[in-house]
Amino acid sequence: DGGITQSPKYLFRKEGQNVTLSCEQNLNHDAMYWYRQDPGQGLRLIYYSQIVNDFQKGDIAEGYSVSREKKESFPLTVTSAQKNPTAFYLCASTAGLNTEAFFGQGTRLTVV
Amino acid sequence: QKEVEQNSGPLSVPEGAIASLNCTYSDRVSQSFFWYRQYSGKSPELIMSIYSNGDKEDGRFTAQLNKASQYVSLLIRDSQPSDSATYLCASTGSARQLTFGSGTQLTVLP
């Protein structure tokens, strides 16, 4: 079945540690997105990529990094520079600019 | 000013009533608009997409788009307790990115 797979579902990070969230899609979509969601809040855009080897910062990119070496994959690294990383992270993809987004199941990151 | 704004809610309606959710956007170039439903702890799922002025109906859901006034709305007829969720409005604009509003939490009371 086609879809987006995020892993892990739950992740715990120690202070000062970098962690990488995985996002893989087999929908053959060109565009991929990373959003952060805090409790009771909407989705805020971290990074997005419209094509392989190219990506743009969203509204809250500080403390995060991404890569897009393959069309299917768009991993997000939460660096130690992100001081408040505890949140629900959602990866999405779209076939084109004006098409619907499909979401992964999300990764819940907690700092311990 | 946020690019996509929603009436913040929370919104409560009795079972069987019509729930009305509203969204405004600031980017006049925006061409596509989406309503997503998100249950607590889950990822958003698409309810409706709308691209041209007017109404679009799908079962109990009707999306309305007015590009001149830059608003899009979602009506849920015959609301059910299972409709209780957060509803997110989203649009794509000149920045070529998919932007979401902050969401409206809807509770349908039995």
Side-chain angles (χ1 to χ4, degrees):
Chain A
D1 288 331
I4 300 180
T5 301
Q6 289 187 242
S7 62
K9 188 173 182 180
Y10 299 97
L11 185 58
F12 298 89
R13 192 194 93 167
K14 294 181 179 179
E15 294 281 354
Q17 192 178 46
N18 292 356
V19 291
T20 297
L21 284 59
S22 171
C23 179
E24 303 277 335
Q25 55 100 356
N26 60 4
L27 300 167
N28 199 34
H29 284 176
D30 288 319
M32 297 186 75
Y33 301 79
W34 274 107
Y35 294 92
R36 168 180 172 145
Q37 188 174 37
D38 294 287
Q41 304 296 314
L43 276 61
R44 292 188 290 168
L45 183 63
I46 305 172
Y47 270 98
Y48 64 106
S49 169
Q50 299 287 354
I51 196 169
V52 175
N53 291 323
D54 187 43
F55 48 83
Q56 286 77 41
K57 293 181 180 180
D59 299 320
I60 56 165
E62 185 175 352
Y64 300 96
S65 65
V66 294
S67 63
R68 187 83 187 278
E69 297 178 0
K70 300 186 300 180
K71 188 175 185 178
E72 303 80 19
S73 179
F74 192 41
L76 173 74
T77 297
V78 184
T79 75
S80 57
Q82 172 50 243
K83 297 307 179 186
N84 186 22
T86 295
F88 188 44
Y89 290 86
L90 286 159
C91 179
S93 71
T94 64
L97 177 60
N98 293 311
T99 58
E100 67 176 278
F102 290 80
F103 284 87
Q105 67 180 18
T107 293
R108 194 166 299 277
L109 174 62
T110 304
V111 174
V112 296
Chain B
Q1 182 186 3
K2 292 185 65 174
E3 291 187 24
V4 178
E5 295 202 43
Q6 297 184 237
N7 48 339
S8 57
L11 176 66
S12 293
V13 300
E15 184 174 355
I18 296 175
S20 177
L21 305 165
N22 299 312
C23 175
T24 59
Y25 59 94
S26 60
D27 188 346
R28 288 194 169 273
V29 178
S30 295
Q31 297 180 30
S32 53
F33 305 88
F34 307 93
W35 282 101
Y36 288 82
R37 178 176 61 199
Q38 185 179 28
Y39 293 113
S40 181
K42 303 296 185 182
S43 57
E45 55 181 333
L46 182 74
I47 299 176
M48 295 281 285
S49 58
I50 187 165
Y51 303 96
S52 54
N53 280 329
D55 295 357
K56 180 181 179 182
E57 187 175 317
D58 184 1
R60 296 187 295 112
F61 299 96
T62 298
Q64 300 173 317
L65 175 60
N66 184 322
K67 290 188 176 181
S69 300
Q70 294 179 241
Y71 85 78
V72 57
S73 64
L74 179 71
L75 299 177
I76 307 174
R77 292 181 299 280
D78 188 24
S79 296
Q80 302 297 309
S82 59
D83 295 326
S84 298
T86 296
Y87 289 80
L88 299 164
C89 173
S91 73
T92 54
S94 56
R96 300 177 60 83
Q97 65 189 43
L98 183 60
T99 301
F100 284 81
S102 56
T104 299
Q105 185 177 345
L106 171 67
T107 300
V108 180
L109 304 170

